Amino acid sequence: MRFVILLYALLLASGVAADTLRLTSGEWPPFHGVALPHYGVASRIVTEAFAFEGVEVHWEFLPWARSLQLAEQGQRASTSVWRRNAKRERQFFISDPVLKTQNYLFHRKAFDFDWQSVDDLRGMRLGATRGYYYGKAFNRAELAGHLNIQRINSDEVALRQLLAGRIDLFPIAKTVAADLLAHHFTAVERAQLSFHPRALSQHNQHLLLSRQVAGSGAAA
């Protein structure tokens, strides 16, 4: 209920007075996806929250960068779901978390692996999806060149490289990994992978409502 109330408060603060909203998102099964039931779990949460206040949501699925850009410019009312950061706080009204994700280090079962801190990952071959953020410690170590990290174009490709032995570890949310493995990998392939029970990072994911929509300047 609190999430519903905050969504409505954001709507009022932005100056949007409408019975319908155009929201953008990208493909991120099972949370968002044009071919998913209700467009995914996160999409359904947002849609039903707005429906509680009589607002109908129309989803538009685009590349993630374009999805964010259109909302930044006020060409779309909102975009979902995103991690909060200082830049986005300046550009958007931000909801309570729609969901929380945790990234775990996936590996081949044959790879003997344990860790306590990011420093323990030195010397291992890590994959990471291009453009994704995996927490402060991982980010600092990557920028400092302390970790052997290969940025890869997609989660699916990274999982395939993991299976092929081209990388040793790959951080990914368990729910996202489970969906990919179920739909794009064989049972034999799935049986070869596991993950360490220690989470690498966790992130709240939010709905962003553009500050550029009509009336938002006065409200802000």
Side-chain angles (χ1 to χ4, degrees):
M1 178 63 72
R2 185 167 179 263
F3 175 63
V4 174
I5 292 170
L6 184 54
L7 279 184
Y8 191 57
L10 290 176
L11 192 64
L12 293 175
S14 70
V16 177
D19 295 326
T20 62
L21 285 179
R22 295 178 68 188
L23 272 63
T24 64
S25 188
E27 292 287 332
W28 193 29
F31 302 125
H32 286 295
V34 69
L36 299 176
H38 306 283
Y39 299 125
V41 176
S43 302
R44 185 174 188 179
I45 292 171
V46 173
T47 297
E48 294 190 359
F50 275 120
F52 188 82
E53 294 296 339
V55 177
E56 183 180 356
V57 169
H58 294 285
W59 289 96
E60 184 175 2
F61 288 88
L62 302 164
W64 281 105
R66 181 63 172 159
S67 174
L68 186 65
Q69 181 186 48
L70 287 175
E72 286 175 350
Q73 296 172 349
Q75 296 182 49
R76 301 294 184 272
S78 181
T79 183
S80 176
V81 287
W82 298 85
R83 182 179 56 84
R84 187 183 201 122
N85 62 29
K87 180 180 179 182
R88 291 170 189 161
E89 287 175 351
R90 293 192 299 269
Q91 296 171 325
F92 297 96
F93 298 100
I94 300 179
S95 77
D96 269 3
V98 177
L99 52 89
K100 178 181 288 186
T101 57
Q102 292 180 305
N103 289 313
Y104 290 84
L105 290 165
F106 276 67
H107 59 91
R108 299 180 305 283
K109 289 181 179 177
F111 183 69
D112 187 20
F113 166 66
D114 192 17
W115 75 291
Q116 297 294 321
S117 72
V118 168
D119 284 342
D120 297 331
L121 306 180
R122 294 190 185 204
M124 301 180 191
R125 298 170 301 165
L126 289 99
T129 301
R130 199 176 308 279
Y132 282 22
Y133 178 80
Y134 297 96
K136 290 181 180 179
F138 190 92
N139 188 54
R140 283 196 299 264
E142 181 178 18
L143 291 174
H146 295 161
L147 298 180
N148 179 13
I149 298 172
Q150 177 185 349
R151 286 286 177 169
I152 300 169
N153 287 334
S154 73
D155 289 341
E156 181 183 345
V157 172
L159 288 171
R160 295 198 181 280
Q161 293 201 12
L162 187 62
L163 280 166
R166 298 191 183 111
I167 56 175
D168 300 317
L169 303 169
F170 174 57
I172 185 173
K174 284 191 292 185
T175 309
V176 175
D179 186 88
L180 282 169
L181 291 168
H183 289 94
H184 300 284
F185 294 79
T186 67
V188 172
E189 289 171 327
R190 293 195 294 271
Q192 296 177 52
L193 297 181
S194 186
F195 62 90
H196 194 280
R198 180 184 301 280
L200 173 68
S201 60
Q202 63 179 19
H203 309 282
N204 289 325
Q205 306 290 347
H206 304 266
L207 177 77
L208 308 181
L209 192 66
S210 178
R211 291 181 180 268
Q212 300 303 315
V213 294
S216 63

